[in-house]
Amino acid sequence: QVQLVESGGGLVQAGGSLRLSCAASGRSFSNSNMGWFRHAPGKELEWVSSINTGGDTSYYADSVKGRFTISRDNAKKTVYLQMNSLKPEDTAVYYCAAGRGFGITPTAYDSWGQGTQVTVSS
């Protein structure tokens, strides 16, 4: 019931920063918990971060904790992922997702964006 479109990906050097955006449409955004996942070549989909409906509770995978920050603006119906101190291991297609459940598995979410490519070079 929520349509999502990611943007902001690109090519950066290690140590650089990117801010990903996920624009939502539909009336259910403010009622949806949001998550970011990433899919690197040859690897399974990996959970990155999640944020609750009010934006006051967030969780991060150990691999990104301290470097990434998730946030949301319900008035703008947008969720963000600020990525700092990027590493080559962060290279992946990043997806945002929405769902009523608040979890770290893909099955907790029922709406997905098309993904945006993030490439981190040495």
Side-chain angles (χ1 to χ4, degrees):
Q1 294 182 340
V2 180
Q3 293 76 50
L4 306 172
V5 179
E6 301 97 334
S7 63
L11 173 64
V12 298
Q13 292 187 332
S17 299
L18 282 175
R19 178 183 287 267
L20 305 183
S21 298
C22 177
S25 61
R27 59 184 300 177
S28 299
F29 176 78
S30 61
N31 296 325
S32 298
N33 300 301
M34 301 296 298
W36 284 96
F37 292 79
R38 63 187 182 185
H39 191 188
K43 297 183 178 181
E44 295 184 351
L45 192 68
E46 177 189 15
W47 170 76
V48 175
S49 183
S50 297
I51 191 167
N52 72 331
T53 56
D56 56 353
T57 303
S58 59
Y59 299 96
Y60 300 90
D62 289 341
S63 59
V64 306
K65 190 174 184 179
R67 300 187 298 119
F68 291 10
T69 302
I70 190 172
S71 62
R72 67 189 294 164
D73 187 332
N74 287 345
K76 295 182 178 179
K77 303 177 73 172
T78 303
V79 62
Y80 305 94
L81 185 67
Q82 178 66 46
M83 306 184 296
N84 298 326
S85 301
L86 283 163
K87 304 175 181 179
E89 306 92 272
D90 297 318
T91 296
V93 177
Y94 283 72
Y95 300 89
C96 65
R100 290 185 176 182
F102 190 33
I104 63 174
T105 60
T107 55
Y109 304 89
D110 50 23
S111 297
W112 293 80
Q114 84 289 351
T116 185
Q117 176 71 48
V118 172
T119 303
V120 184
S121 65
S122 300

